[in-house]
Amino acid sequence: MARIENRLKYYLLSVMGRRWHVQSHEDRYSTGIPDLSYGANGVNGWIELKQVQLEKPHHLIKPAKFTASQVNWLKNRNAHGGYCYVLVKVNDSYFLFDAEHARAIADGRRIDWYYTNSRQYWHKQIAADEFLNEICGG
């Protein structure tokens, strides 16, 4: 996981506290595995973390190192009934997406697409209970 995404991971872990059981994955041998797996409220799932600094509102948001193997892993696990998400921090906003949007995120989209297609978004701070509800299928 890139260093910048480590900050996002630690932020998310501190916000969520004991609401879930979470495991960080940094496996050099299995390609495409998302950054986090979790269990909460009877649900097991996966979250890929990405962080982008957007210079100008009309620029494309294209996370660095969002690989084809990551996109394919999310797509395949999601197709087989997994709870799979992508959490993208753009400047000081957080966007939670279903795995079906992973390819579009990797290819790059503008900020208006993020607002329209995310499951949920938060400005400045993630609301832990809302986040938990979303990743548990809410």
Side-chain angles (χ1 to χ4, degrees), residues 9-79:
K9 175 178 71 172
Y10 292 124
Y11 167 74
L12 185 59
L13 295 176
S14 71
V15 166
M16 294 301 290
R18 296 179 183 262
R19 290 175 178 85
W20 62 352
H21 178 264
V22 66
Q23 175 70 45
S24 178
H25 298 275
E26 297 182 37
D27 186 338
R28 293 183 187 137
Y29 305 105
S30 299
T31 59
I33 301 280
D35 299 311
L36 301 173
S37 65
Y38 67 89
N41 298 340
V43 169
N44 286 289
W46 298 85
I47 304 172
E48 179 63 36
L49 303 174
K50 296 296 176 191
Q51 188 164 336
V52 178
Q53 190 65 34
L54 183 60
E55 299 291 325
K56 296 184 180 183
H58 65 278
H59 285 177
L60 280 181
I61 299 167
K62 188 170 180 168
K65 298 183 182 178
F66 200 171
T67 67
S69 62
Q70 290 172 313
V71 169
N72 290 335
W73 195 101
L74 288 163
K75 177 185 168 193
N76 289 331
R77 181 60 58 99
N78 192 61

Side-chain angles (χ1 to χ4, degrees), residues 117-135:
N117 291 282
S118 62
R119 282 185 71 92
Q120 183 70 274
Y121 59 86
W122 301 270
H123 185 65
K124 297 208 182 218
Q125 184 174 347
I126 292 174
D129 291 333
E130 289 178 8
F131 185 83
L132 184 64
N133 182 59
E134 291 298 328
I135 65 170

